[in-house]
Amino acid sequence: RIERVIADDRAFAPSEGRLPPLTARLQIDYTSAKLSTASRVRFRFKLEGNDAEWIDAGARRQAFYTNLPPGAYRFRVAARIGGGEWMESAEPWAFSIRPAVYQTTWFSGLCIVALASATWSAWRYWLHQVRRQHALVMAERVRLVHGTVTIDSIPQQGTRLAITVPHAEVSV
């Protein structure tokens, strides 16, 4: 029988089936229905959804878990007196740990959409820059071919530029 549940230093009634997101420490206190032979009672427990096998607790009446991921669980406890047969509790405790916002499926999907959108936007920006640069280069070539270079379009850092105009040669 489950007596008490403590999650992150906060007590919960065993009837509560939902624990808060990001529960880091879980303590489950249990006992045997037969207290007359308490010193000879041995326990074992299993948390379905986490434990693959039963855990032999000996005479200890507490189970501890840390950093359980979000999901559904079922805590089962069995007791035996001396070398007798294991008798499982009639009422296993079923509970779940709610996921934090960033652990939900919709949040993961939203992140994927945001990443795809950011990648697409960056690619579009890069493509715009390449096209703009290409247009500038092509415009400069057209000006050079037609001889329509102005003084403002000539580089100002001591670079020499020779331009041939149909009936004259100009050197700058």
Side-chain angles (χ1 to χ4, degrees):
R1 172 175 72 113
I2 309 296
E3 287 191 319
R4 184 172 65 160
V5 175
I6 300 174
D8 292 334
D9 301 323
R10 191 172 143 219
F12 289 86
S15 60
E16 291 186 56
R18 294 183 70 133
L19 296 178
L22 304 174
T23 297
R25 294 175 317 279
L26 177 63
Q27 174 185 325
I28 304 169
D29 297 345
Y30 52 86
T31 190
S32 170
K34 296 185 178 185
L35 297 176
S36 60
T37 56
S39 63
R40 295 185 13 215
V41 176
R42 312 293 291 169
F43 293 96
R44 69 179 185 174
F45 59 85
K46 181 178 184 180
L47 182 60
E48 292 177 353
N50 187 65
D51 299 333
E53 301 291 327
W54 285 90
I55 297 171
D56 185 8
R60 191 180 73 219
R61 296 167 189 265
Q62 292 178 322
F64 298 95
Y65 290 94
T66 57
N67 299 320
L68 290 171
Y73 298 95
R74 203 169 87 134
F75 183 78
R76 296 168 49 195
V77 64
R80 73 174 176 186
I81 300 170
E85 200 170 307
W86 288 105
M87 294 211 267
E88 194 171 334
S89 171
E91 299 175 18
W93 180 49
F95 68 98
S96 65
I97 298 177
R98 294 185 310 248
V101 171
Y102 65 86
Q103 295 172 317
T104 60
T105 305
W106 66 264
F107 184 81
S108 297
L110 186 64
C111 287
I112 290 170
V113 168
L115 181 63
S117 178
T119 302
W120 183 79
S121 295
W123 179 77
R124 294 286 297 165
Y125 178 75
W126 174 81
L127 188 61
H128 171 73
Q129 293 295 85
V130 168
R131 285 180 178 164
R132 185 174 158 269
Q133 191 68 22
H134 182 262
L136 288 173
V137 168
M138 293 308 290
E140 187 67 22
R141 285 183 182 175
V142 167
R143 273 194 301 248
L144 288 174
V145 166
H146 295 293
T148 58
V149 176
T150 64
I151 296 299
D152 294 336
S153 66
I154 298 174
Q156 300 296 321
Q157 298 178 351
T159 306
R160 297 195 56 105
L161 177 65
I163 302 172
T164 304
V165 180
H167 296 291
E169 186 171 302
V170 177
S171 181
V172 182

